[in-house]
Amino acid sequence: MGFPCEDVVVIREAEAAGEPAEITVSCPDKTGLGCDLCRVILFFGLSIVRGDVSTDGKWCYIVFWVVGRRGSSIRWGLLKKRLLGVCPAVTAASGLYAFYHRQQEMLAMEQQPQVFLLKFCCFDRMGLLHADVTQVLCELELTIRRVKVSTTPDGRVMDLFFITDARELLHTKWRKDETCDQLRTALGESMMNCDIEPASAEIAAYLQASPFLPPPITEEMFILELPEELHSNSSNFSTKNLSVTVDNSLSRGHTLIQIICPDHKGILYDIMRTLKDYSIQISYGRFYSTQNGSCEVDLFVIQMDGKKIFDLNKQMSLCSRLRMELLRPLRVAVVSRGPDTELLVTNPVELSGKGRPLVFYDITLALKMLNIRIFLGGDRLHESKDWGLKLCLKAEIGRHVIGGREWEVYRILLNDDFDSAASKDKIVDSVTKMLMGWE
C-alpha cells in the first residue's frame, strides 16, 4: 500500500502582495500528471504565471508559480491535499522508492466518483445562480456534472444538479446537512426545500440533456482542429500572435514543441490536456507568462514508445489541435431559436472523462455582471415528475458525443429583454472574457 510523502507537494505562499506563490511537486511520473495538476490549480481559481517540468520517465520534478484573483482567499492546505490526490503514491522500502502509478491509474479508472442528485426549490431573483448557488457549491468542493434549472410561472425555481464531492463524503448525513445548510444560509427564506440522493440510472435518464442542437452551431462550435482556411483568416481568429512549431533537430532523443501565444486563464491546462489526449510525455518543459500578456512555452517530448514524433501527419494534427485549443478552448455563441434566445458554451472533455473546472461559475458571474436575467417564465413548459410543477427549462449542462469526441455543452435560456445583434455580441464578448480571464 502506498502513501503520499509529506514533501511530495510543497507550497510556499507569497511573501508580499502581488508576488506569486510557489508550488513544488516531486513524485513518480505518469502520463497526464501535468494535466491533472493544472486542472486542480485551475479549480482553485489560480493562474500559473511560470512553470518548470523535468522527468527521467520514472520520477518528475515540477515547479509552478501561481497567482490568485484579486481579493480572493486561497485555502492552501486544501489545495495541497487535492494536489497530493492526483500524484502517484509512493512507498519507502529499504530506503528505496517503489512506484505504483500504473496500478493507481487503473484503479482510478475503475473507481469513478459517485454522482449525487441535489434538488431544491426556491424563489427566483437576479444573480441567484451565481451569487447564491454556484458559489456555494464551489466553496463546498462540489463539482457540477450536469444541471437543469427551471422556473414556474409563479417565480419559483427548481434546481436539479448532478454533483460529485471532491471530499467523497456526500454519502454521509452530516455532509448532506452541511450542503443544504449552506444553501439555506445563502438563499434565506426564499428556499423551500432541499434534498440530496444518489443519482440512479432512472433519474439520469430522465434528466439527460436535450440531444437537439442547432445545425449551424453543431458545425461551427465542435471543431477540434483549426482548419487551414480559418488559420489564414486572422479577422475571425487572432492567429497573428500565435505560433506552434515542432522541431526534431535540436535534441537526439526528444521532439521540441515551441509555442508563443496570447495568455488566457487555464492556458497550461489546455496545453497539457491536449498532450495527454495524444499520449505524449513531457521530459522537460518551461512555461513563462510575460507582463504584456503573451506566453512562451518550450516542451521536449516523446511518444509512449519513447521515440520522437517523426510522423508528419501526427505533427500537423497535433499543431492544428494546439492552435485551436489556444485560440478557442471554449466556444461561445448566442443564438435565436424561434422565440427563444439561448447562450451556448462548449468545450471538449478530456478523454479521461473529466471536464473543465469552473465554467458554469464564470458563465453565471458574467451574466450577473451584465445584469442579464436568465429566462423567468413563459409557455414552453413541461411537467416535473418529482414535485408536480409546471416548469420552463432555463439552464442545463449536458454532454454530447459529436465527431467521435465528447463535449460539455452549457445552454442557458436568456430573458427576452434584448433583441439587437449588438446586445448579443456584447454577451458573447463578456462571457468569453470572463472564461478566458480577460475581464
Side-chain angles (χ1 to χ4, degrees), residues 91-98:
T91 63
S94 302
L96 299 175
Y97 286 112

Side-chain angles (χ1 to χ4, degrees), residues 311-379:
D311 189 305
L312 293 180
N313 289 328
K314 187 170 184 178
Q315 289 183 18
M316 293 176 61
S317 174
L318 175 61
C319 289
S320 180
R321 171 76 180 276
L322 282 169
R323 291 189 190 101
M324 193 63 171
E325 295 296 349
L326 293 170
L327 288 171
R328 295 205 308 173
L330 302 110
R331 297 88 192 272
V332 183
V334 174
V335 298
S336 297
R337 300 185 63 195
D340 298 336
T341 301
E342 192 172 63
L343 170 66
L344 287 93
V345 178
T346 68
N347 60 269
V349 176
E350 295 177 33
L351 292 182
S352 64
K354 295 178 180 177
R356 189 185 189 89
L358 300 181
V359 175
F360 195 56
Y361 179 92
D362 285 338
I363 293 171
T364 55
L365 177 57
L367 294 178
K368 179 187 176 184
M369 293 178 67
L370 288 171
N371 290 321
I372 293 178
R373 297 182 69 88
I374 296 173
F375 193 78
L376 296 180
D379 55 2

Side-chain angles (χ1 to χ4, degrees), residues 8 106 143 171-173 201 206 228 267 273 277 375 433:
V8 167
M106 294 177 63
T143 302
H171 61 282
T172 63
K173 183 179 184 302
Y206 170 60
E228 197 62 38
I267 184 171
R273 67 178 171 83
D277 287 351
F375 193 78
K433 286 181 176 178

Side-chain angles (χ1 to χ4, degrees), residues 32-91:
L33 176 61
C35 173
D36 296 340
L37 294 171
C38 289
R39 187 193 318 107
V40 173
I41 291 171
L42 181 59
F43 179 82
F44 276 77
L46 294 166
S47 296
I48 301 171
V49 295
R50 183 182 163 196
D52 285 296
V53 180
S54 61
T55 178
D56 61 1
K58 295 181 179 180
W59 195 273
C60 70
Y61 185 77
I62 302 172
V63 184
F64 292 129
W65 287 264
V66 300
V67 295
R69 290 181 176 179
R70 186 178 302 173
S72 63
S73 177
I74 307 300
R75 295 168 290 176
W76 297 107
L78 189 58
L79 171 60
K80 178 176 180 177
K81 184 178 180 181
R82 296 295 167 249
L83 291 172
L84 280 170
V86 300
C87 292
V90 187
T91 63

Side-chain angles (χ1 to χ4, degrees), residues 144-158:
I144 302 171
R145 304 293 289 270
R146 189 181 302 152
V147 62
K148 286 208 173 187
V149 181
S150 308
T151 56
T152 67
D154 62 356
R156 285 182 289 169
V157 178
M158 188 173 80

Side-chain angles (χ1 to χ4, degrees), residues 133-289:
V133 179
T134 311
Q135 189 167 347
V136 168
L137 296 182
C138 287
E139 290 173 353
L140 288 169
E141 291 190 279
L142 298 173
T143 302
I144 302 171
R145 304 293 289 270
R146 189 181 302 152
V147 62
K148 286 208 173 187
V149 181
S150 308
T151 56
T152 67
D154 62 356
R156 285 182 289 169
V157 178
M158 188 173 80
D159 293 290
L160 303 173
F161 287 88
F162 277 106
I163 56 177
T164 57
D165 185 7
R167 304 178 195 175
E168 298 183 354
L169 294 171
L170 203 52
H171 61 282
T172 63
K173 183 179 184 302
W174 73 265
R175 179 65 165 155
K176 293 178 181 179
D177 291 343
E178 178 193 31
T179 302
C180 289
D181 289 344
Q182 291 278 9
L183 287 169
R184 287 192 184 94
T185 300
L187 297 171
E189 296 180 357
S190 65
M191 184 170 175
M192 288 174 276
N193 48 41
C194 176
D195 184 50
I196 301 174
E197 63 185 53
S200 65
E202 292 76 13
I203 294 175
Y206 170 60
L207 292 174
Q208 280 288 346
S210 170
F212 303 107
L213 293 172
I217 297 300
T218 302
E219 296 172 5
E220 181 181 343
M221 296 185 74
F222 300 94
I223 302 174
L224 280 173
E225 297 181 10
L226 187 63
E228 197 62 38
E229 62 271 18
L230 294 181
H231 180 250
S232 61
N233 186 354
S234 60
S235 62
N236 291 333
F237 294 82
S238 302
T239 59
K240 59 182 180 180
N241 297 322
L242 171 64
S243 172
V244 180
T245 60
V246 172
D247 192 330
N248 278 317
S249 65
L250 295 179
S251 171
R252 288 185 177 182
H254 297 84
T255 295
L256 172 62
I257 300 175
Q258 290 185 302
I259 300 172
I260 300 175
C261 62
D263 195 7
H264 68 254
K265 181 166 59 181
I267 184 171
L268 197 53
Y269 166 71
D270 292 321
I271 295 172
M272 293 293 188
R273 67 178 171 83
T274 301
L275 297 180
K276 181 180 179 181
D277 287 351
Y278 275 76
S279 298
I280 291 175
Q281 296 177 313
I282 300 173
S283 296
Y284 173 77
R286 180 188 65 87
F287 167 85
Y288 181 71
S289 176

